Amino acid sequence: MTAAGVGVLVETDGHGATLVSREALTFARELAGGQPVHAVVVGPLDADVEDALLPQLGEQGVAMLHHATADGLGAYSAAAWAAAAVDVVTRASVRALLAAGTPRGNEVMAHAAVRLGVAMAANVVAADGVDPLVVSRQVVGGTVLEEMRLDDAVAVLSVAGHALDPAPAASPTEPEVTAFTPTLSEADLVARVVRTEVGAPDESAALGSARVVVGAGRGAGSADGFKDLVSLTELLGGVLGVSRVVTSLGWRPHHEQVGQTGSRIAPDIYIPCGISGAIQHWAGCSSAKTILAINTDPEAPMVTRAHYAVIGDLHEIVPAINDEIRRRRG
Amino acid sequence: MANVLVCIKRVPETSGQILLTDDEQAVDARHVGWTVSAHEECAIELATQVAGATGGTSTVLTVGSSDAVEQLRGALAVGCDSAVLIEADTATYGPADVAAAIGDVVSAHEANGTTYDLVLLGNDAADTGDFQVGVRLAALLGRPVVTGISACAVADGVIVARGEGPEGTEVFELPPPAVVAVMEGGVSPRYPSIPGRMKAKRAPIETVSPQREPAGHGRVRWKLPPQQPSSVEILGTGPEAAPAVVDLLEELGVLSR
Ligand SMILES: Cc1cc2nc3c(=O)[nH]c(=O)nc-3n(C[C@H](O)[C@H](O)[C@H](O)COP(=O)(O)OP(=O)(O)OC[C@H]3O[C@@H](n4cnc5c(N)ncnc54)[C@H](O)[C@@H]3O)c2cc1C
Ligand SMILES: Nc1ncnc2c1ncn2[C@@H]1O[C@H](COP(=O)(O)O)[C@@H](O)[C@H]1O
């Protein structure tokens, strides 16, 4: 791949670009090697989100924001988003198109790869070589890395969450904004969200960007065994994440699951309580900066791979920690 | 009545220690056994539920070696009605090749009078994790597709699919025929009953050969991340360790106020 611009599909939330999208922008800037980075946002943008977004894109050194608007883009549809992203590939003649490795990012990149007639590399963590382009990406749930060659005229890939930090560019930019109407067919809008049911809040996004995560596994004992763990989470202003055993047994909802088939987290501290540290769980929490394990078994993989550990029954230890925090706060 | 096809992949069991093959192209499964991913187990369950609720059929399909019959029989044992093996050495297959092989069988069955109103797959394969076979298959068949779906039903001739989105549960309504990639979390796979196992053992497996040469994948090699030696610092045992824990939390600056 010769050096040329890179396009990035950016996902937004109430605070502008999501953390993982900013990570993808940093990855794109490094891949572009001095060539322009083009951001793509699809669908309506609230004024305050746009106000937050532009400085974030500027901090990442983005040259241009391509904002796709059209009737029918109000609701998410992967095919329509891909149509918009592929339009930008042509408009900006980029040599690589990428997104964060989120459910939407992977889905839209798969559609884009089909439209461009090229391969797609999911969950890339690093570019090992640029010409030819060779990437390392997560396979086997993040426990193995694959070196993969991308030889097509346009490289399509997603960037695994928390594979890198969203570092600011050496010289920030003031991105130019161009609105455009992507070429959409009726078929692009068939598989779109017809409604969103806002039930119990979905913590998976919060988990992905939380600074503190308290983990709970089978050691919690039962659905009633979470009171002290929830208190600890609240005292630390964190988010609760659980193992698959906990969701399979119906003790907590699936969106709280951390691991290969749950969320990937990268907090400053992760406090797994009563979690053995199976490879599939580890795949979701290995990016935590510090791990403090609480477990009855000093030989549990979670303990031996942690930075710190307390050995014993979480039902005695967690309340004692909560009491100590409250005591020090006075 | 909805006819459902569910596509599964035989993958190495990876809950224990993972070793790679000498050619660094795959997980060495000689000592660990084989399975299907959790997403696909849920897809099998949804396939049998949708077929049962609509009086249709459920067919399980895999692209792989003759050994993958083990996984097909596993799906028959929990309620799938029939099974198809596309027998191929998939070592050189990329996700586009898998999609093409499945697409050819879907078209061939359709020419023989069986239309699959719903094709279910897993969201991503447990080993290669390409996140794209479903989307590629849908494009080949000219059908709508959604991924990341945890619940799915057919009502009044419409496929209603639900999945977790950034702001809540997202609902899609697709006109059949359509393709849906399933993520675990919405249904619990069932265990095979003894009669189910017996029936599965004797069931015929339709075996076909792929119609085209694979285009391949970009795999150079697989590698294991370096193992960090244990350097855990034990802060204490039991509730007496609480002050040491809170000291650490203060030191890390996560205990503001
Ligand atoms: C395809 C696939 C995908 C998977 N995806 C995921 C995933 O995304 N996330 C995930 O978490 N798992 C996943 N798993 C499951 C994984 O293999 C483990 O089964 C699971 O993580 C174990 O959960 P656990 O640690 O809570 O339970 P266990 O392994 O049973 O461990 C319980 C731990 O709690 C300790 N304990 C018990 N009582 C106490 C107590 N009173 N106080 C303190 N400690 C106590 C025990 O010593 C033990 O270490 C997946 C598996 C497969 C096959
Ligand atoms: N060899 C295969 N045979 C049948 N189905 C497959 C095969 N490979 C992948 N699939 C299906 O496609 C889904 C997504 O796979 P992938 O895009 O490779 O991550 C899997 O969960 C399976 O349902």
Side-chain angles (χ1 to χ4, degrees):
Chain A
M1 197 186 79
T2 50
V6 175
V8 183
L9 176 77
V10 171
E11 293 180 68
T12 58
D13 58 19
H15 314 288
T18 59
L19 172 65
V20 283
S21 285
R22 285 183 281 128
E23 293 169 0
L25 287 167
T26 299
F27 184 95
R29 194 177 69 237
E30 284 165 13
L31 186 65
Q35 298 293 315
V37 172
H38 297 263
V40 191
V41 170
V42 187
L45 262 185
D46 288 344
D48 52 334
V49 175
E50 188 164 354
D51 288 347
L53 176 65
L54 286 173
Q56 292 172 328
L57 298 181
E59 183 183 79
Q60 289 296 329
V62 168
M64 189 180 276
L65 167 62
H66 302 257
H67 182 195
T69 54
D71 287 348
L73 285 181
Y76 171 70
S77 147
W81 282 42
V86 168
D87 274 357
V88 171
V89 170
T90 326
R91 293 162 58 87
S93 56
V94 298
R95 295 295 170 81
L97 175 66
L98 54 94
T102 60
R104 282 188 178 180
N106 280 322
E107 185 177 38
V108 175
M109 287 305 103
H111 279 269
V114 169
R115 281 162 194 258
L116 293 164
V118 301
M120 169 205 169
N123 292 318
V124 170
V125 297
D128 304 333
V130 174
D131 200 5
L133 180 59
V134 178
V135 295
S136 282
R137 66 180 196 95
Q138 295 174 336
V139 293
V140 198
T143 55
V144 177
L145 289 179
E146 170 175 279
E147 278 174 26
M148 177 178 175
R149 243 181 102 137
L150 288 165
D151 286 330
D152 296 307
V154 181
V156 174
L157 58 96
S158 70
V159 181
H162 312 315
L164 73 172
D165 283 327
S171 35
T173 49
E174 279 194 23
E176 195 184 318
V177 184
T178 54
F180 74 106
T181 308
T183 354
L184 296 180
S185 72
E186 238 170 75
D188 294 332
L189 298 170
V190 172
R192 68 176 190 284
V193 174
V194 292
R195 60 178 184 279
T196 302
E197 294 168 357
V198 189
D202 183 346
E203 295 292 348
S204 46
L207 268 176
S209 51
R211 283 189 62 218
V212 177
V213 176
V214 175
R218 193 196 299 273
S222 73
D224 301 326
F226 287 81
K227 212 178 100 266
D228 298 319
L229 292 158
V230 170
S231 299
L232 175 60
T233 310
E234 286 169 0
L235 284 167
L236 298 176
V239 179
L240 184 71
V242 303
S243 76
R244 188 164 79 152
V245 164
V246 168
T247 58
S248 303
L249 292 171
W251 296 350
R252 302 289 303 185
H254 183 263
H255 62 74
E256 292 180 356
Q257 183 172 317
V258 169
Q260 179 180 331
T261 49
S263 295
R264 304 239 162 112
I265 60 171
D268 290 341
I269 184 164
Y270 179 45
I271 311 178
C273 306
I275 296 182
S276 61
I279 242 163
Q280 293 90 350
H281 187 85
W282 187 253
C285 69
S286 60
S287 300
K289 292 196 182 70
T290 302
I291 295 179
L292 162 61
I294 299 177
N295 201 302
T296 44
D297 177 7
E299 299 302 322
M302 189 52 101
V303 172
T304 58
R305 299 175 90 169
H307 304 92
Y308 302 95
V310 177
I311 307 305
D313 184 348
L314 72 91
H315 296 289
E316 295 172 7
I317 296 165
V318 174
I321 296 172
N322 292 346
D323 287 346
E324 180 68 15
I325 294 173
R326 292 195 190 98
R327 197 183 61 74
R328 290 200 197 180
R329 283 193 180 153
Chain B
M1 192 188 90
N3 294 323
V4 189
L5 180 72
V6 55
C7 305
I8 63 170
K9 183 177 189 184
R10 174 179 163 92
V11 293
E13 173 81 65
T14 53
S15 41
Q17 208 203 343
I18 294 178
L19 298 172
L20 300 182
T21 53
D22 289 340
D23 67 0
E24 300 181 308
Q25 294 285 308
V27 168
D28 185 347
R30 275 177 303 177
H31 308 293
V32 293
W34 299 83
T35 183
V36 302
S37 89
H39 300 319
E40 289 155 40
E41 284 177 353
C42 293
I44 293 169
E45 177 61 27
L46 281 169
T48 57
Q49 283 184 13
V50 169
T54 63
T57 61
S58 56
T59 302
V60 59
L61 174 150
T62 192
V63 189
S65 72
S66 56
D67 294 334
V69 165
E70 180 189 347
Q71 279 63 44
L72 293 176
R73 293 208 191 278
L76 291 168
V78 289
C80 285
D81 302 310
S82 59
V84 182
L85 169 68
I86 305 179
E87 190 170 353
D89 174 5
T90 46
T92 58
Y93 275 51
D97 300 314
V98 173
I102 299 172
D104 285 342
V105 166
V106 170
S107 303
H109 282 197
E110 194 161 291
N112 290 335
T114 307
T115 301
Y116 295 110
D117 307 284
L118 175 61
V119 180
L120 296 176
L121 304 94
N123 199 62
D124 50 277
D127 53 355
T128 52
D130 286 304
F131 287 78
Q132 57 192 271
V133 169
V135 173
R136 289 189 183 275
L137 174 65
L140 291 171
L141 297 171
R143 297 180 182 186
V145 55
V146 285
T147 70
I149 293 304
S150 47
C152 180
V154 179
D156 301 326
V158 178
I159 298 166
V160 181
R162 289 158 190 279
E164 291 310 315
E167 272 134 35
T169 304
E170 295 178 338
V171 184
F172 300 84
E173 292 175 358
L174 308 176
V179 177
V180 169
V182 175
M183 207 136 109
E184 80 162 339
V187 283
S188 311
R190 68 186 82 172
Y191 287 102
S193 62
I194 306 260
R197 274 211 194 111
M198 297 306 289
K199 200 184 108 221
K201 231 183 206 168
R202 293 187 305 267
I205 307 263
E206 178 187 341
T207 304
V208 300
S209 299
Q211 297 302 307
R212 41 182 131 196
E213 284 304 308
H217 50 67
R219 184 179 312 134
V220 180
R221 67 182 185 112
W222 279 10
K223 53 196 179 188
L224 291 170
Q227 276 282 349
Q228 310 288 1
S230 173
S231 58
V232 61
E233 183 183 326
I234 305 289
L235 295 178
T237 303
E240 288 73 45
V245 169
V246 182
D247 286 349
L248 174 70
L249 296 174
E250 278 181 344
E251 211 174 286
L252 292 172
V254 292
L255 207 66
S256 46
R257 270 189 297 162

